[in-house]
Amino acid sequence: MKVGELKKRLKNGEKVLGTMVTVFQNPDIVKILKVCGFDFFLLDCEHGCFEYGEAARIIGMARGIGLPVIVRVAEIRRELVLKYMEMGADGLLLPDTREKEEAELLVKYSKYAPLGERGVSLSRPHTDFKKVQGRQYMDEANENTILMCQIESPEGVKHIQEIIGVEGIDAAFVGPNDLSQNYGVLGEYGNPVMEQAYDEVLKAVQTAGKIAGIHFGKKEPLIPCIQAGYQINMCGNDVSFLMDGAKKVLESIKESTKK
């Protein structure tokens, strides 16, 4: 998939499905995800313990084989945003966004002027070390980069219209685990207060002409959100898929060999 293709698909109204890489540092995980058929993946640099070099190799592999990668940063800080953008990430996810000012900082640090204030250094992995025409490349990068704000609190839901209204922000991405915890209904994804939050986020982004996304560990709560109109979604992660597959095989062998 070419750089910017994921964003074009979303703008065309397509629904895409990805997963999260949380632990596995070998870049070959990217090849595995592509063979499985995922449209993109998220590299979790918030909870995950990826060093810069490890993240760079994973992102480099993703660029090399054409599988879009979005990085979840640990916090809104210029160094973090700049490093992952320079590595060549297709986009960024800012966790626990509660105010529009946080979204504005994400744009400021990740978009080139005049939209933002991203530092200019063009002989880097994000250009594949090719000689580029500066202004043209910067405009294309601003257009192609996907910026998402993760909504994980009642405050984020309350301010969703202001957050998604920030120029340069493409999507609101719901984090059900922390959101349910912050509502006092941990793990109750079908609780009425959670369903109301899903609806509020979706209505706000649709009104703004933007995109909604969500991540669940299992398919059951995800399917209704996709059917409702959530476009950029994730299911499971590297660890859960490995463990689920291993458990099923082990259980099958043990069941088949019982005496």
Side-chain angles (χ1 to χ4, degrees):
M1 188 179 293
K2 296 180 180 178
V3 174
E5 192 66 28
L6 180 64
K7 192 168 181 179
K8 289 178 183 177
R9 291 178 61 186
L10 292 167
K11 284 188 172 183
N12 288 336
E14 293 185 44
K15 295 177 180 178
V16 297
L17 187 60
T19 192
M20 183 181 288
V21 173
T22 64
V23 169
F24 291 102
Q25 300 160 350
N26 191 314
D28 282 338
I29 187 67
V30 181
K31 297 179 183 178
I32 293 170
L33 295 179
K34 185 169 184 178
V35 170
C36 287
F38 288 105
D39 297 304
F40 74 99
F41 72 98
L42 186 141
L43 182 63
D44 186 11
C45 293
E46 180 197 13
H47 292 285
C49 299
F50 296 98
E51 297 178 356
Y52 281 144
E54 294 166 342
R57 287 186 283 275
I58 291 172
I59 294 169
M61 177 67 79
R63 288 183 67 85
I65 68 173
L67 182 64
V69 52
I70 295 170
V71 176
R72 179 161 68 175
V73 297
E75 58 183 331
I76 184 60
R77 185 156 55 86
R78 181 182 182 276
E79 176 193 356
L80 293 178
V81 170
L82 184 62
K83 285 285 195 295
Y84 295 123
M85 294 306 300
E86 303 290 85
M87 292 176 195
D90 294 271
L92 301 176
L93 173 63
L94 178 64
D96 196 19
T97 310
R98 302 187 179 213
E99 305 281 350
K100 73 172 183 178
E101 289 78 12
E102 296 166 317
E104 289 171 342
L105 283 176
L106 182 61
V107 174
K108 177 180 179 180
Y109 296 150
S110 58
K111 298 283 191 176
Y112 292 112
L115 186 56
E117 299 178 9
R118 176 179 169 182
V120 180
S121 183
L122 301 180
S123 294
R124 301 282 180 178
H126 64 96
T127 62
D128 297 317
F129 300 100
K130 297 175 182 177
K131 183 176 179 57
V132 296
Q133 199 287 321
R135 184 68 266 166
Q136 178 183 345
Y137 170 80
M138 290 158 67
D139 289 342
E140 291 174 351
N142 278 357
E143 174 60 29
N144 292 332
T145 299
I146 300 174
L147 296 184
M148 307 198 300
C149 290
Q150 193 160 18
I151 307 301
E152 304 182 89
S153 69
E155 293 87 349
V157 175
K158 179 181 178 181
H159 297 127
I160 184 60
Q161 293 183 349
E162 293 91 342
I163 292 169
I164 201 62
V166 172
E167 183 181 4
I169 298 298
D170 300 292
F173 193 84
V174 177
N177 286 338
D178 280 332
L179 186 60
S180 63
Q181 173 180 253
N182 289 327
Y183 272 125
V185 293
L186 180 62
E188 297 179 25
Y189 306 126
N191 188 288
V193 71
M194 291 291 289
E195 293 186 341
Q196 181 177 348
Y198 305 152
D199 290 342
E200 287 186 34
V201 170
L202 183 59
K203 289 176 182 176
V205 299
Q206 289 179 334
T207 299
K210 297 190 178 180
I211 300 160
I214 198 165
H215 178 204
F216 285 104
K218 301 293 183 181
K219 66 180 181 179
E220 288 76 15
L222 178 61
I223 291 173
C225 290
I226 295 175
Q227 293 172 333
Y230 276 74
Q231 280 184 256
I232 183 166
N233 305 296
M234 298 196 303
C235 185
N237 59 56
D238 49 358
V239 174
S240 68
F241 285 130
L242 173 64
M243 293 185 69
D244 288 347
K247 286 177 180 178
K248 287 179 181 178
V249 170
L250 288 171
E251 289 170 1
S252 176
I253 292 173
K254 290 178 180 179
E255 182 65 28
S256 299
T257 55
K258 280 183 178 179
K259 292 184 178 180

